[in-house]
Amino acid sequence: MKLASLKDGRDGRLVVVSRDLSRCVPVPTVATTLQAALDDWARAAPLLAAAALALDAGDQGAGVMPFDPAACAAPLPRAYQWADGSAYVNHVELVRRARGAELPESFWHDPLLYQGGSDTLLGPCDPIRLADDQGWGIDFEGEIAVITDDVPMGVSETAAAGHIALLMLVNDVSLRGLIPGELAKGFGFFQSKPSSAFSPVAVTPDDLGDAWDGGRVHRPLLSFVNGEPFGRPDAGRDMTFDFPRLIAHAARTRPLGAGTIIGSGTVSNKQGTGHGSAIADGGVGYACLAEVRMIETIRDGQPTTPFLRFGDRVRLEMEDAEGRSIFGAIDQTVTRYPGP
Amino acid sequence: MKLASLKDGRDGRLVVVSRDLSRCVPVPTVATTLQAALDDWARAAPLLAAAALALDAGDQGAGVMPFDPAACAAPLPRAYQWADGSAYVNHVELVRRARGAELPESFWHDPLLYQGGSDTLLGPCDPIRLADDQGWGIDFEGEIAVITDDVPMGVSETAAAGHIALLMLVNDVSLRGLIPGELAKGFGFFQSKPSSAFSPVAVTPDDLGDAWDGGRVHRPLLSFVNGEPFGRPDAGRDMTFDFPRLIAHAARTRPLGAGTIIGSGTVSNKQGTGHGSAIADGGVGYACLAEVRMIETIRDGQPTTPFLRFGDRVRLEMEDAEGRSIFGAIDQTVTRYPGP
């Protein structure tokens, strides 16, 4: 099934969305918000699934309305946890190679995960509002994320798989110009990771059919910059650490609360080359600007693809084998924030 | 006024607490949870203050009951953001000096802040449950934290001061044995920072009287390990970055949602010496075990004070000028977590 949160107050209004993304219906007798449903997932999930079944069977009952992605907040407009991995080690290797640094061998065995800010998450069509489009180096990062129910501390990888309630797409907006200084301080990202945006709908694993193998999503992640195709790397390929592994890593020393979001990190394929290649060069492209800039740096000594500027538009989407959008599209424009 | 959340469901039940911490009363007509009050703080705060005034005037009306810190969850049992600073640069300098590293000069001008996990916060008397008390190096960190209302992106330091709704004490439990490996990966803390614990009550700035100067709390932070006095550094001294500065830093590239918790980092005083000294040596001591171990390392070549073991107890408290507890005490015992 597919779920969304229409913009309404701080936590949105939970709706069940039809498989073709054309219609939706609130489910107030089950839960008014997605967080409330996740807090009681064992009870709520089958009731929501029943509502989805009725909707897909053509239910036109009270409350059914057209589904508008632009009316959506993030599925969780604010969350208690957003922990983002960097599971496509190709991405990490590329970033390091461009600055002449070696990838420690341990990075192939020990997942990278950072704690992100989760108090103000963006809807799929919300603008990326920032004060500076020069030195900050505004970039997008196309990712997959899961939402968990309650996960006990010390969960095994095997058991972790059973705690995946929902999946979404993410645009993990990144400020490349602020990252080196911030990472040099040793405490990880903070200002360099402004609010992330999420796809219109979150889907249950069964909604993905054969594309879900229990740990990875085997479909290309489509990205477009200003309407031009930028990337279509397969999210199931080169994902060194799958979601159960990332969840188990996150839960090693503390439990994870219901509604925890765990991200995959930027989807990135090696494509049988050193580090992949752009669509223009016959490759599957990338899911962030930084990677093509790295390739340019390695090849030409300097990057030529610019970061995002005010007015630029980014679109992220994933289609099923029949070409139907699975999560709806993240479609955002970078706009100038004039200050408080 | 003083507010607490009695253990009740995932978000606790909001109560107003008397100044002497002896009695409390739920305020369901104002808000049932602290998060709900913070979501509507301009309306809720004066109503809660009126209830506090009545309680302190001796109100024995319906719902008034004895206040029991052991029945408390954290004021926010789960929060949308927990961002922890390291504003006492003496602490940072000491940690670095013990491993022979220089403190970059910029650390005196640019605050350190890391994103913490906020989905499962501990009540003041909850055990510190962990699977390993050997290699993990279990330590406490005594800190002050503020809770904000909604803070706009790009807020000035001056305006940030007006967004401080409440203050609390924190035990930012830290696993010293996991920190070096995790920081070496470059993405900050994750497994090395298990759930933090918070004081029984959160207080409004006016509750602190002269001890609050608008940016810092000028009172000693008392810590005890297994009943023995361990530290009483003054939280108002050597705090290089005050709370408005930390808030402005956190809000530079994104707004902060109501209920954001911002921590001071481990309270640490230089005490007119190189790096302070222990209570046993005539100093004011420390607010974490790591600092005394650093002093031992610098002085003797190796630490002798052990980290916490199962059964060890940590107490954190702060008293006003008349010796009355301001926040109630964090009083936790380290216990073995047997696994899920």
Side-chain angles (χ1 to χ4, degrees):
Chain A
M1 68 175 152
K2 299 182 195 285
L3 302 174
S5 294
L6 301 183
K7 285 176 185 271
D8 185 2
R10 292 181 181 270
D11 295 296
R13 181 156 49 115
L14 177 64
V15 291
V16 171
V17 182
S18 63
R19 266 191 78 80
D20 66 0
L21 300 174
S22 71
R23 296 173 309 135
C24 65
V25 65
V27 279
T29 58
V30 183
T32 55
T33 68
L34 180 54
Q35 183 63 54
L38 288 160
D39 284 348
D40 194 14
W41 191 240
R43 184 194 66 88
L47 298 172
L48 296 171
L53 214 60
L55 192 63
D56 284 328
D59 177 19
Q60 297 289 353
V64 174
M65 56 186 148
F67 178 67
D68 175 12
C72 288
L76 288 171
R78 53 181 179 173
Y80 295 106
Q81 177 158 231
W82 158 227
D84 197 12
S86 195
Y88 298 84
V89 179
N90 186 51
H91 171 77
V92 184
E93 192 171 33
L94 195 49
V95 171
R96 293 199 162 226
R97 179 149 167 219
R99 62 170 201 253
E102 285 288 306
L103 184 81
E105 209 274 331
S106 65
F107 277 38
W108 294 100
H109 311 293
D110 182 28
L112 271 177
L113 198 70
Y114 77 88
Q115 196 82 51
S118 55
D119 53 317
T120 53
L121 304 178
L122 300 180
C125 303
D126 287 349
I128 299 168
R129 299 178 79 205
L130 289 165
D132 181 344
D133 73 342
Q134 302 283 330
W136 286 5
I138 305 169
D139 199 358
F140 69 100
E141 289 195 341
E143 311 188 5
I144 319 292
V146 299
I147 305 178
T148 73
D149 62 4
D150 289 296
V151 179
M153 173 159 47
V155 71
S156 68
E157 278 183 59
T158 310
H163 290 286
I164 297 172
L166 295 163
L167 294 105
M168 315 179 279
L169 301 184
V170 189
N171 178 9
D172 179 40
V173 180
S174 298
L175 304 179
R176 304 290 178 196
L178 302 185
I179 289 179
E182 210 154 48
L183 293 196
K185 289 159 69 180
F187 272 27
F189 307 101
F190 203 98
Q191 296 176 337
S192 51
K193 293 285 186 179
S195 301
S196 297
F198 293 82
S199 53
V201 305
V203 309
T204 44
D206 66 281
D207 187 79
L208 293 166
D210 291 344
W212 175 245
D213 69 4
R216 297 174 177 83
V217 179
H218 294 269
R219 293 298 305 159
L221 177 62
L222 311 178
S223 62
F224 304 85
V225 176
N226 294 324
E228 295 296 318
F230 183 81
R232 47 173 186 269
D234 193 304
R237 204 169 293 160
D238 300 323
M239 188 184 188
T240 307
F241 307 106
D242 67 7
F243 281 110
R245 177 71 190 278
L246 294 176
I247 294 167
H249 184 89
R252 184 177 174 216
T253 62
R254 55 182 164 93
L256 311 180
T260 285
I261 305 171
I262 306 264
S264 67
T266 310
V267 176
S268 181
N269 289 167
K270 285 184 81 82
Q271 311 171 46
T273 69
H275 295 287
S277 59
I279 283 183
D281 297 329
V284 299
Y286 307 99
C288 70
L289 294 169
E291 286 194 31
V292 73
R293 289 170 56 91
M294 301 298 170
I295 295 286
E296 291 163 354
T297 301
I298 292 167
R299 190 184 58 201
D300 312 325
Q302 60 177 21
T304 46
T305 301
F307 286 121
L308 298 172
R309 303 292 295 273
F310 298 140
D312 283 342
R313 195 169 160 197
V314 173
R315 184 182 170 95
L316 295 169
E317 197 164 16
M318 183 175 275
E319 295 173 347
D320 67 14
E322 284 72 45
R324 296 170 301 205
S325 184
I326 299 172
F327 303 95
I330 293 174
D331 197 340
Q332 300 184 276
T333 300
V334 182
T335 64
R336 197 175 82 84
Y337 175 69
Chain B
M1 69 176 152
K2 299 182 194 286
L3 302 174
S5 295
L6 301 182
K7 285 176 185 272
D8 186 2
R10 292 181 181 268
D11 295 297
R13 182 156 49 113
L14 177 63
V15 292
V16 171
V17 182
S18 63
R19 265 190 80 79
D20 66 359
L21 300 175
S22 71
R23 295 173 308 134
C24 65
V25 64
V27 280
T29 58
V30 182
T32 54
T33 68
L34 180 54
Q35 183 64 52
L38 289 160
D39 285 348
D40 193 15
W41 191 240
R43 184 194 66 86
L47 298 173
L48 296 171
L53 215 59
L55 191 63
D56 285 328
D59 178 18
Q60 297 288 353
V64 175
M65 57 186 147
F67 178 67
D68 176 11
C72 288
L76 288 171
R78 52 180 181 174
Y80 294 106
Q81 177 158 228
W82 158 227
D84 197 12
S86 195
Y88 299 84
V89 178
N90 186 52
H91 170 77
V92 184
E93 193 170 32
L94 194 49
V95 172
R96 292 199 163 226
R97 181 151 164 217
R99 63 169 200 252
E102 286 287 306
L103 185 82
E105 209 275 329
S106 66
F107 277 37
W108 294 100
H109 312 293
D110 182 28
L112 271 177
L113 198 70
Y114 76 87
Q115 195 82 52
S118 56
D119 54 318
T120 54
L121 304 178
L122 300 181
C125 304
D126 287 350
I128 299 168
R129 298 178 81 206
L130 290 165
D132 181 343
D133 73 342
Q134 303 284 329
W136 285 7
I138 305 170
D139 199 357
F140 68 100
E141 291 195 339
E143 311 189 4
I144 319 291
V146 298
I147 305 179
T148 74
D149 61 4
D150 289 296
V151 179
M153 173 160 44
V155 72
S156 68
E157 276 182 61
T158 311
H163 290 286
I164 297 172
L166 296 163
L167 294 105
M168 314 178 280
L169 301 185
V170 189
N171 178 9
D172 179 39
V173 180
S174 298
L175 303 179
R176 304 290 178 196
L178 301 185
I179 288 180
E182 208 154 48
L183 294 195
K185 289 159 69 179
F187 272 26
F189 307 100
F190 203 98
Q191 295 176 339
S192 51
K193 294 285 187 178
S195 300
S196 297
F198 293 82
S199 52
V201 305
V203 310
T204 45
D206 66 282
D207 186 79
L208 293 166
D210 292 344
W212 175 244
D213 69 5
R216 296 173 178 82
V217 179
H218 294 270
R219 291 299 304 159
L221 177 61
L222 312 178
S223 61
F224 304 84
V225 176
N226 294 325
E228 294 296 317
F230 183 81
R232 48 172 186 268
D234 193 305
R237 204 170 292 161
D238 301 322
M239 189 185 186
T240 308
F241 307 106
D242 67 7
F243 281 110
R245 178 71 190 279
L246 295 176
I247 293 168
H249 185 88
R252 185 177 174 215
T253 62
R254 55 183 163 94
L256 310 179
T260 286
I261 305 170
I262 306 264
S264 67
T266 310
V267 176
S268 181
N269 289 170
K270 283 185 82 81
Q271 311 173 48
T273 68
H275 295 287
S277 59
I279 284 182
D281 298 329
V284 300
Y286 307 99
C288 69
L289 296 169
E291 287 195 32
V292 73
R293 289 170 55 92
M294 300 299 169
I295 296 288
E296 291 163 353
T297 301
I298 293 167
R299 191 185 57 202
D300 312 324
Q302 60 177 21
T304 45
T305 302
F307 286 121
L308 299 173
R309 302 291 295 273
F310 298 140
D312 283 343
R313 194 169 160 197
V314 174
R315 183 181 170 95
L316 295 169
E317 195 163 18
M318 183 174 274
E319 295 174 347
D320 67 15
E322 284 73 45
R324 295 170 301 207
S325 185
I326 299 173
F327 303 95
I330 294 174
D331 197 338
Q332 300 184 275
T333 300
V334 182
T335 64
R336 196 176 82 84
Y337 175 68

